Amino acid sequence: MDNNHLFQYITSGQLMKFYKSKEWKALRVEALERDNYECQMCKENGKYHKAECVHHIKEVKPYPHLAMTLSNLKSLCNPCHNKVHDRIGIHLQEQGKKFVNEERW
Ligand SMILES: [Zn+2]
Ligand SMILES: [Zn+2]
């Protein structure tokens, strides 16, 4: 399979085109099926949550050649995905530092 056009979407900053491609959508489903549609981070913590998204372990932008590699994908629920990207931490930092320490574990 030739994914050269996908590689180019990423390197030229057109990530939305990458995420809308049929190749990515097919691979995403493959990753979800591999992970039984289960959030892998919740699973590691002994909990169950339905997977809501597929995360790139090595991020797409610095590692475009791993964007279509199944072993680089991890099914996650949205709260875990936010944690991985530290979005919650950033959000709390805006509100004041004391919340950050309480949220970290
Ligand atoms: Zn989770
Ligand atoms: Zn992600």
Side-chain angles (χ1 to χ4, degrees), residues 19 53-57 59 76 81 84-85 87:
Y19 284 117
C53 55
V54 174
H55 167 63
H56 284 93
I57 297 163
E59 283 184 49
L76 296 178
H81 195 215
V84 166
H85 288 279
R87 283 179 197 140

Side-chain angles (χ1 to χ4, degrees), residues 19-101:
Y19 284 117
K20 280 179 180 171
S21 70
K22 61 178 191 306
E23 291 90 344
W24 164 247
K25 284 179 181 169
L27 190 71
R28 190 181 173 278
V29 170
E30 243 182 87
L32 286 167
E33 283 177 354
R34 179 200 62 188
D35 295 338
N36 297 316
Y37 290 84
E38 208 179 317
C39 171
Q40 297 302 292
M41 243 170 91
C42 286
K43 197 180 172 182
E44 283 161 21
N45 292 317
K47 291 182 284 183
Y48 172 79
H49 201 293
K50 190 178 176 293
E52 290 159 312
C53 55
V54 174
H55 167 63
H56 284 93
I57 297 163
K58 289 198 188 293
E59 283 184 49
V60 168
K61 270 193 165 177
Y63 302 95
H65 55 289
L66 293 175
M68 293 297 289
T69 303
L70 191 59
S71 58
N72 188 41
L73 303 178
K74 200 171 185 179
S75 304
L76 296 178
C77 66
N78 285 331
C80 285
H81 195 215
N82 286 337
K83 262 181 220 162
V84 166
H85 288 279
D86 211 15
R87 283 179 197 140
I88 291 171
I90 290 163
H91 179 67
L92 288 169
Q93 267 166 13
E94 286 165 3
Q95 295 178 5
K97 271 212 149 93
K98 68 188 176 89
F99 293 108
V100 176
N101 293 332

